[in-house]
Amino acid sequence: YTRQYNQNTTSYTDHSNARRIGHAVSTDQHLGTWTVVSRDSIHARTGRIWDNLHVWAPSIVLRPGDITYYMFYTGVQLDTLDLNATPIKTSEIQRIGIATSTNLNSWKQDSIPVYFNKKTSWAFRDSSKNTGASWEFRDPFVMPDPENAGEWLMYFVTVDSSLNRFVVGVARTADKNLRKWQDLYPL
């Protein structure tokens, strides 16, 4: 689950929001009660890294015969575009990355994202703009490709540069580490 860093903050634009992905389990058949395992399985990291502001939208898969779980998630980087502007011009850049675990309790976040708008030919990516649309690339959902054994599909949300609106895109991989993705098309 996505966890608020500060429970008293409700505004998405506040930089203390969506900074952790927690882990809870339920044995209740109606899913009415949950036990928190970890409040900080994944977290926004400090420094100039691709997920230093927000983390959200986890999607976890386990490849058949593998002992490693792969959590795909959206990471947001707060980056400076213009230090000379008053106020300083910044942007919030969204990318998709991976964290791995062999027990679902402790996770290791990759140092670089695996998929983002510049890896497609059609997603909006104008770095001169300071708008959300210029860097929106999020909400991964990963699943085995039902038509190609051993391959995986990733569905994600981004802005189509020709339509200038949100669409769902799809990418494919046969990479055993699930880190090299090939753009297929927007849906």
Side-chain angles (χ1 to χ4, degrees), residues 24 33 52 61 71 75 89 92-93 134 143:
T33 58
N52 68 7
V61 298
M71 179 193 299
K89 190 174 181 181
E92 296 179 14
I93 304 166
S134 61
M143 63 178 271

Side-chain angles (χ1 to χ4, degrees), residues 40-176:
D40 194 17
S41 295
I42 300 293
H43 58 275
R45 297 179 280 184
T46 59
R48 206 166 159 82
I49 194 160
W50 70 274
D51 57 357
N52 68 7
L53 183 59
H54 300 294
V55 293
W56 78 79
S59 174
I60 299 174
V61 298
L62 177 66
R63 291 179 336 111
D66 198 343
I67 61 166
T68 301
Y69 292 90
Y70 297 84
M71 179 193 299
F72 294 84
Y73 67 98
T74 302
V76 182
Q77 178 181 9
L78 180 63
D79 197 19
T80 304
L81 297 177
D82 186 355
L83 286 170
N84 298 319
T86 305
I88 293 172
K89 190 174 181 181
T90 62
S91 186
E92 296 179 14
I93 304 166
Q94 299 175 4
R95 299 178 182 104
I96 296 171
I98 290 182
T100 56
S101 174
T102 56
N103 61 17
L104 293 175
N105 292 319
S106 57
W107 293 87
K108 181 179 184 306
Q109 291 166 258
D110 279 12
S111 60
I112 59 173
V114 295
Y115 207 57
F116 46 94
N117 60 355
K118 291 183 179 180
K119 294 196 174 205
T120 72
S121 61
W122 53 272
F124 191 79
R125 57 179 175 268
D126 183 352
S127 61
S128 68
K129 304 287 185 208
N130 187 26
T131 64
S134 61
W135 300 109
E136 307 264 3
F137 202 90
R138 62 179 188 238
D139 304 328
F141 175 77
V142 177
M143 63 178 271
D145 184 338
E147 296 179 0
N148 298 292
E151 295 189 11
W152 293 79
L153 298 174
M154 178 193 301
Y155 295 90
F156 56 91
V157 176
T158 191
V159 175
D160 185 306
S161 61
S162 65
L163 301 173
N164 200 29
R165 65 182 172 104
F166 283 105
V167 298
V168 174
V170 64
R172 176 183 291 133
T173 189
D175 177 50
K176 290 186 173 153

